[in-house]
mmCIF file of all heavy atoms in Angstrom:
data_model
loop_
_atom_site.group_PDB
_atom_site.id
_atom_site.type_symbol
_atom_site.label_atom_id
_atom_site.label_comp_id
_atom_site.label_asym_id
_atom_site.label_seq_id
_atom_site.Cartn_x
_atom_site.Cartn_y
_atom_site.Cartn_z
ATOM 1 N N ALA A 514 84.901 170.012 137.962
ATOM 2 C CA ALA A 514 84.154 168.770 137.706
ATOM 3 C C ALA A 514 83.476 168.206 138.955
ATOM 4 O O ALA A 514 83.004 167.075 138.937
ATOM 5 C CB ALA A 514 85.081 167.727 137.097
ATOM 6 N N THR A 515 83.397 168.996 140.041
ATOM 7 C CA THR A 515 82.548 168.562 141.147
ATOM 8 C C THR A 515 81.118 169.029 140.893
ATOM 9 O O THR A 515 80.229 168.776 141.692
ATOM 10 C CB THR A 515 83.041 169.077 142.517
ATOM 11 O OG1 THR A 515 82.977 170.514 142.531
ATOM 12 C CG2 THR A 515 84.468 168.630 142.804
ATOM 13 N N ALA A 516 80.927 169.709 139.767
ATOM 14 C CA ALA A 516 79.601 170.238 139.418
ATOM 15 C C ALA A 516 78.931 169.362 138.377
ATOM 16 O O ALA A 516 79.569 168.569 137.687
ATOM 17 C CB ALA A 516 79.747 171.652 138.875
ATOM 18 N N ASN A 517 77.639 169.576 138.250
ATOM 19 C CA ASN A 517 76.857 168.934 137.195
ATOM 20 C C ASN A 517 76.870 169.864 135.970
ATOM 21 O O ASN A 517 76.428 171.013 136.058
ATOM 22 C CB ASN A 517 75.433 168.746 137.730
ATOM 23 C CG ASN A 517 74.496 168.179 136.693
ATOM 24 O OD1 ASN A 517 74.482 168.629 135.546
ATOM 25 N ND2 ASN A 517 73.701 167.213 137.100
ATOM 26 N N PRO A 518 77.388 169.410 134.821
ATOM 27 C CA PRO A 518 77.496 170.305 133.660
ATOM 28 C C PRO A 518 76.155 170.862 133.164
ATOM 29 O O PRO A 518 76.106 171.985 132.667
ATOM 30 C CB PRO A 518 78.147 169.441 132.577
ATOM 31 C CG PRO A 518 78.254 168.070 133.114
ATOM 32 C CD PRO A 518 77.978 168.087 134.575
ATOM 33 N N TYR A 519 75.081 170.071 133.299
ATOM 34 C CA TYR A 519 73.766 170.573 132.847
ATOM 35 C C TYR A 519 73.351 171.780 133.690
ATOM 36 O O TYR A 519 72.818 172.758 133.175
ATOM 37 C CB TYR A 519 72.697 169.476 132.954
ATOM 38 C CG TYR A 519 73.031 168.237 132.167
ATOM 39 C CD1 TYR A 519 73.620 167.136 132.788
ATOM 40 C CD2 TYR A 519 72.793 168.165 130.795
ATOM 41 C CE1 TYR A 519 73.944 165.997 132.074
ATOM 42 C CE2 TYR A 519 73.111 167.020 130.075
ATOM 43 C CZ TYR A 519 73.690 165.946 130.718
ATOM 44 O OH TYR A 519 74.014 164.808 130.000
ATOM 45 N N LEU A 520 73.620 171.696 135.010
ATOM 46 C CA LEU A 520 73.293 172.839 135.886
ATOM 47 C C LEU A 520 74.222 174.004 135.580
ATOM 48 O O LEU A 520 73.783 175.167 135.513
ATOM 49 C CB LEU A 520 73.425 172.462 137.366
ATOM 50 C CG LEU A 520 72.486 171.401 137.936
ATOM 51 C CD1 LEU A 520 72.713 171.263 139.438
ATOM 52 C CD2 LEU A 520 71.042 171.750 137.672
ATOM 53 N N GLN A 521 75.508 173.695 135.414
ATOM 54 C CA GLN A 521 76.478 174.764 135.122
ATOM 55 C C GLN A 521 76.035 175.557 133.889
ATOM 56 O O GLN A 521 75.948 176.787 133.915
ATOM 57 C CB GLN A 521 77.874 174.177 134.847
ATOM 58 C CG GLN A 521 78.605 173.661 136.071
ATOM 59 C CD GLN A 521 79.942 173.014 135.717
ATOM 60 O OE1 GLN A 521 80.036 172.241 134.762
ATOM 61 N NE2 GLN A 521 80.971 173.299 136.496
ATOM 62 N N LEU A 522 75.744 174.824 132.815
ATOM 63 C CA LEU A 522 75.453 175.520 131.562
ATOM 64 C C LEU A 522 74.067 176.175 131.606
ATOM 65 O O LEU A 522 73.883 177.261 131.044
ATOM 66 C CB LEU A 522 75.564 174.555 130.378
ATOM 67 C CG LEU A 522 75.910 175.202 129.052
ATOM 68 C CD1 LEU A 522 77.174 176.043 129.135
ATOM 69 C CD2 LEU A 522 76.064 174.151 127.941
ATOM 70 N N ALA A 523 73.118 175.542 132.299
ATOM 71 C CA ALA A 523 71.769 176.133 132.391
ATOM 72 C C ALA A 523 71.831 177.493 133.087
ATOM 73 O O ALA A 523 71.206 178.465 132.631
ATOM 74 C CB ALA A 523 70.819 175.194 133.138
ATOM 75 N N VAL A 524 72.597 177.589 134.186
ATOM 76 C CA VAL A 524 72.612 178.872 134.901
ATOM 77 C C VAL A 524 73.451 179.919 134.154
ATOM 78 O O VAL A 524 73.104 181.107 134.163
ATOM 79 C CB VAL A 524 73.049 178.742 136.387
ATOM 80 C CG1 VAL A 524 72.059 177.887 137.169
ATOM 81 C CG2 VAL A 524 74.473 178.205 136.540
ATOM 82 N N ILE A 525 74.521 179.485 133.492
ATOM 83 C CA ILE A 525 75.308 180.433 132.683
ATOM 84 C C ILE A 525 74.424 180.978 131.559
ATOM 85 O O ILE A 525 74.377 182.189 131.300
ATOM 86 C CB ILE A 525 76.574 179.745 132.122
ATOM 87 C CG1 ILE A 525 77.583 179.497 133.248
ATOM 88 C CG2 ILE A 525 77.202 180.566 131.000
ATOM 89 C CD1 ILE A 525 78.790 178.645 132.838
ATOM 90 N N LEU A 526 73.698 180.061 130.910
ATOM 91 C CA LEU A 526 72.838 180.456 129.790
ATOM 92 C C LEU A 526 71.734 181.425 130.262
ATOM 93 O O LEU A 526 71.480 182.449 129.627
ATOM 94 C CB LEU A 526 72.237 179.185 129.188
ATOM 95 C CG LEU A 526 71.592 179.267 127.822
ATOM 96 C CD1 LEU A 526 71.592 177.897 127.162
ATOM 97 C CD2 LEU A 526 70.179 179.787 127.892
ATOM 98 N N ARG A 527 71.127 181.093 131.405
ATOM 99 C CA ARG A 527 70.038 181.960 131.885
ATOM 100 C C ARG A 527 70.574 183.320 132.331
ATOM 101 O O ARG A 527 69.900 184.339 132.168
ATOM 102 C CB ARG A 527 69.277 181.276 133.023
ATOM 103 C CG ARG A 527 68.339 180.185 132.523
ATOM 104 C CD ARG A 527 66.971 180.237 133.231
ATOM 105 N NE ARG A 527 65.920 179.713 132.374
ATOM 106 C CZ ARG A 527 65.337 178.515 132.531
ATOM 107 N NH1 ARG A 527 65.694 177.724 133.510
ATOM 108 N NH2 ARG A 527 64.371 178.141 131.714
ATOM 109 N N ALA A 528 71.790 183.345 132.892
ATOM 110 C CA ALA A 528 72.375 184.636 133.281
ATOM 111 C C ALA A 528 72.651 185.474 132.034
ATOM 112 O O ALA A 528 72.393 186.683 131.996
ATOM 113 C CB ALA A 528 73.661 184.422 134.080
ATOM 114 N N GLY A 529 73.168 184.809 130.997
ATOM 115 C CA GLY A 529 73.418 185.507 129.732
ATOM 116 C C GLY A 529 72.127 186.027 129.137
ATOM 117 O O GLY A 529 72.052 187.181 128.668
ATOM 118 N N LEU A 530 71.099 185.196 129.158
ATOM 119 C CA LEU A 530 69.799 185.609 128.619
ATOM 120 C C LEU A 530 69.239 186.797 129.414
ATOM 121 O O LEU A 530 68.666 187.730 128.829
ATOM 122 C CB LEU A 530 68.832 184.415 128.644
ATOM 123 C CG LEU A 530 67.404 184.671 128.173
ATOM 124 C CD1 LEU A 530 67.365 185.218 126.752
ATOM 125 C CD2 LEU A 530 66.569 183.387 128.266
ATOM 126 N N ALA A 531 69.443 186.768 130.729
ATOM 127 C CA ALA A 531 68.987 187.900 131.557
ATOM 128 C C ALA A 531 69.690 189.185 131.109
ATOM 129 O O ALA A 531 69.085 190.267 131.084
ATOM 130 C CB ALA A 531 69.255 187.621 133.035
ATOM 131 N N GLY A 532 70.963 189.056 130.741
ATOM 132 C CA GLY A 532 71.720 190.211 130.245
ATOM 133 C C GLY A 532 71.169 190.724 128.921
ATOM 134 O O GLY A 532 71.093 191.937 128.689
ATOM 135 N N ILE A 533 70.778 189.798 128.039
ATOM 136 C CA ILE A 533 70.197 190.197 126.745
ATOM 137 C C ILE A 533 68.853 190.889 126.982
ATOM 138 O O ILE A 533 68.584 191.962 126.427
ATOM 139 C CB ILE A 533 70.016 188.972 125.810
ATOM 140 C CG1 ILE A 533 71.362 188.339 125.465
ATOM 141 C CG2 ILE A 533 69.280 189.378 124.533
ATOM 142 C CD1 ILE A 533 71.278 187.075 124.597
ATOM 143 N N ARG A 534 68.024 190.266 127.835
ATOM 144 C CA ARG A 534 66.705 190.841 128.145
ATOM 145 C C ARG A 534 66.820 192.264 128.670
ATOM 146 O O ARG A 534 66.052 193.139 128.304
ATOM 147 C CB ARG A 534 66.047 190.020 129.258
ATOM 148 C CG ARG A 534 65.137 188.981 128.749
ATOM 149 C CD ARG A 534 64.438 188.314 129.925
ATOM 150 N NE ARG A 534 64.072 186.977 129.538
ATOM 151 C CZ ARG A 534 64.129 185.911 130.332
ATOM 152 N NH1 ARG A 534 64.533 186.036 131.581
ATOM 153 N NH2 ARG A 534 63.780 184.730 129.880
ATOM 154 N N ALA A 535 67.818 192.462 129.548
ATOM 155 C CA ALA A 535 67.984 193.775 130.171
ATOM 156 C C ALA A 535 68.724 194.741 129.250
ATOM 157 O O ALA A 535 68.863 195.922 129.574
ATOM 158 C CB ALA A 535 68.737 193.619 131.494
#
Side-chain angles (χ1 to χ4, degrees):
T515 63
N517 176 314
Y519 302 97
L520 296 184
Q521 286 176 316
L522 206 54
V524 297
I525 288 172
L526 195 156
R527 284 223 152 106
L530 177 57
I533 297 177
R534 265 185 206 142

